[in-house]
């Protein structure tokens, strides 16, 4: 069966990664969380006090950052920063509060997109993010753009964080995802945009299983297409 590229973009916390992980598992594809890459860069910048207005420091820092993805014993993909598993650290609010400004930096985006292209060169990839269907893989056979009501997104993110051991109040989550969406949608470099040929799925009133079924159905139709 031919392999395809599946690009899933959309606003913060609207179920992109949950869908992408499950769809990748069904097809035996690799799942790449591009947001994790921007989060790991943000962690490095914070830990090394890199100012986001200092281009020299940014270029030097990027040359010192090595990112890789590894699948753990439970079949989950985790991100490593310079050999250390940072999957848990990058999900903290401290990173969520700083990641969007870091993601506006052109040099950061260029470095990440170069790596993303390498990861997708043999296809058989589900990648989620903000610019996957528009900039990273404009040639992707299937492009999706997920949306959901802000209250539902915030509640889902609160549950996710709770499962990871952090109790964060709903208002802080709403403030964070609203602010990230604002910065991500209005930045100059690769803003969050629905690609013209992306299919929009509103996940507000559907379950994860329904969401996954719909994407699998669409992917099969693309795989079968000559
Ligand atoms: O999972 P969640 O929706 O919270 O966000 P994420 O996918 O982990 O992405 C975190 C942040 O990284 C976003 O708010 C964007 O600022 C940035 N990002 C980006 O600029 N481009 C991407 N392809 C993916 C993420």
């Amino acid at each position: 069966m031919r392999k395809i590229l599946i690009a899933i973009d959309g606003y913060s916390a609207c179920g992109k990664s949950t869908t992408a992980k499950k769809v990748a598992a069904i097809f035996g594809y690799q799942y790449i969380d591009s947001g994790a890459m921007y989060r790991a860069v943000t962690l490095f910048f914070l830990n090394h006090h890199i100012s986001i207005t200092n281009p020299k420091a940014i270029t030097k820092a990027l040359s010192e950052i090595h990112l890789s993805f590894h699948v753990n014993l439970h079949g989950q993909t985790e991100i490593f920063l310079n050999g250390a598993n940072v999957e848990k650290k990058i999900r903290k609010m401290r990173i969520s509060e700083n990641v969007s400004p870091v993601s506006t930096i052109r040099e950061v985006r260029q470095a990440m997109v170069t790596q993303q292209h390498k990861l997708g060169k043999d296809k058989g990839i589900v990648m989620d993010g903000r610019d996957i269907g528009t900039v990273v893989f404009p040639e992707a056979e299937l492009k999706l753009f997920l949306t959901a009501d802000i209250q539902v997104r915030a509640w889902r993110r609160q549950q996710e964080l709770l499962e990871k051991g952090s109790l964060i109040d709903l208002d802080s989550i709403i403030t964070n995802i609203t602010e990230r969406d604002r910065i991500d949608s209005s930045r100059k470099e690769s803003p969050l945009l629905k690609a013209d040929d992306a299919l929009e799925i509103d996940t507000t009133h559907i379950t994860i299983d329904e969401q996954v079924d719909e994407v699998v159905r669409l992917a099969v139709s693309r795989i079968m297409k000559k």
Side-chain angles (χ1 to χ4, degrees), residues 48-68:
H48 293 81
H49 308 287
I50 307 296
S51 158
I52 61 166
T53 54
N54 182 341
K56 268 198 182 144
I58 290 169
T59 306
K60 182 169 178 290
L62 287 170
S63 73
E64 292 164 358
I65 292 175
H66 178 73
L67 301 177
S68 53

Side-chain angles (χ1 to χ4, degrees), residues 69-86:
F69 288 96
H70 299 279
V71 178
N72 70 16
L73 293 173
H74 307 287
Q76 293 149 347
T77 305
E78 297 179 319
I79 191 163
F80 284 63
L81 166 63
N82 295 336
N85 184 339
V86 292

Side-chain angles (χ1 to χ4, degrees), residues 103-107 109-110 184 187-192:
S103 303
T104 63
I105 304 168
R106 176 196 290 208
E107 290 75 11
R109 304 207 70 80
Q110 281 172 344
D184 295 345
R187 70 186 174 215
K188 234 166 64 202
E189 294 293 325
S190 320
L192 165 60

Side-chain angles (χ1 to χ4, degrees), residues 9-17 31 33-39 42 90-91 95-96 99-104 109 116 127-132 136 153 157 160 176-177 180-181 183-184 187 189-190:
D9 290 305
Y11 296 100
S12 302
C14 58
K16 297 183 299 292
S17 60
Y31 161 59
D33 176 356
S34 70
M37 299 171 74
Y38 291 94
R39 285 174 177 270
T42 305
I90 61 161
R91 307 293 163 192
I95 303 298
S96 299
V99 64
S100 283
V102 170
S103 303
T104 63
R109 304 207 70 80
Q116 290 155 7
M127 193 177 289
D128 75 334
R130 304 292 185 287
D131 58 344
I132 311 305
V136 183
R153 290 198 272 145
R157 179 50 49 96
E160 259 173 43
N176 177 254
I177 59 184
R180 280 199 287 132
D181 285 347
I183 300 174
D184 295 345
R187 70 186 174 215
E189 294 293 325
S190 320

